[in-house]
Amino acid sequence: MATSRSGRSAGAGGRVLGYLESRKNLAGCAAGLAGLGLTFAGVAGAYWPVVIGGLYGAAALVVPPERPESPEFPDPAEQLEAVRTDFATLREYLGEVSLPPAAGGRLTELTDLLEALLEPGWVGDALARDQDAVHSLSRSIRQDIPEAVDTYARTRWWTRLNPGTEPPERHLERQLGLLYDEADALASALRDTESRRQETHTRYLEDRRRGG
């Protein structure tokens, strides 16, 4: 109980100290001092407490409230660089995995496309402007591809003990195909964005010529 009371006291003391240091209190004090000056000048008369209090309250009210600083998060370029690092880690992991030819071919197509999308330079700049695209690539690299390959490796071992079930490589091929389609759609969307930028610039130049 004593600890609880001391905690509440410390919290109340912190709030009081915070208000004393706030802009509202400082502005109110400045206005109150001005009211005190009016009192000494004989302007406030017998109502000087009301004048000082009113000036303090008015100044405290018009000052904007304190606000906490907004949190800073990594910008898209920094996020994309982290995705590139994770992609390099994924490539090392995939290099140690043995896959059947069909699934291996699907995986190569997928990783080649991802590598092209993550290429530093103007391609990476276009990608970094699309937060959803960066998130989609991050999810594929950090979650979807490792999960697909790992579950294949685990299921293949159990299939050897229980033959006759559907080969796990078929599921892996379908999964990698779906992930490729997702990455290809992302590439198409980025291409369309760049095309629209080009068309917009063309219309701007045409309008400028007509206006001139």
Side-chain angles (χ1 to χ4, degrees):
M1 185 65 70
T3 302
S4 177
R5 288 199 188 98
S6 63
R8 287 197 296 269
S9 298
R15 287 192 294 272
V16 171
L17 182 60
Y19 179 76
L20 291 176
E21 296 175 346
S22 68
R23 288 180 297 175
K24 282 183 172 293
N25 182 58
L26 294 176
C29 289
L33 288 175
L36 190 60
L38 292 175
T39 300
F40 289 139
V43 177
Y47 299 100
W48 65 267
V50 177
V51 172
I52 294 176
L55 289 173
Y56 176 92
L61 285 175
V62 298
V63 172
E66 301 283 346
R67 64 174 184 83
E69 293 292 332
S70 300
E72 294 185 2
F73 299 105
D75 61 33
E78 292 175 335
Q79 295 178 26
L80 190 58
E81 191 59 37
V83 174
R84 290 191 182 103
T85 300
D86 292 337
F87 181 64
T89 301
L90 176 65
R91 294 295 292 264
E92 293 179 4
Y93 162 70
L94 296 177
E96 300 175 357
V97 178
S98 176
L99 299 178
R106 289 273 191 176
L107 182 61
T108 299
E109 292 177 352
L110 174 58
T111 54
D112 286 349
L113 178 56
L114 293 177
E115 184 175 15
L117 287 171
L118 292 170
E119 183 72 23
W122 67 268
V123 177
D125 293 340
L127 179 61
R129 287 192 291 269
D130 190 331
Q131 285 276 18
D132 292 337
V134 174
H135 173 72
S136 178
L137 283 186
S138 173
R139 182 179 56 197
S140 292
I141 291 169
R142 296 170 175 170
Q143 176 181 335
D144 295 333
I145 298 175
E147 179 71 11
V149 173
D150 185 62
T151 53
Y152 161 76
R154 293 170 182 268
T155 307
R156 179 180 60 175
W157 186 86
W158 287 106
T159 303
R160 291 173 180 172
L161 300 180
N162 186 23
T165 57
E166 184 177 13
E169 54 266 25
R170 292 183 185 174
H171 283 286
L172 177 61
E173 291 171 24
R174 289 202 292 270
Q175 291 167 5
L176 295 176
L178 291 169
L179 290 172
Y180 179 87
D181 291 343
E182 186 177 276
D184 187 57
L186 189 154
S188 297
L190 293 175
R191 180 197 61 208
D192 292 343
T193 299
E194 293 300 313
S195 296
R196 286 193 295 272
R197 288 182 62 198
Q198 185 183 38
E199 293 168 1
T200 298
H201 189 57
T202 299
R203 288 194 297 271
Y204 162 73
L205 293 176
E206 291 173 345
D207 292 342
R208 189 173 71 181
R209 179 179 180 181
R210 285 193 292 268

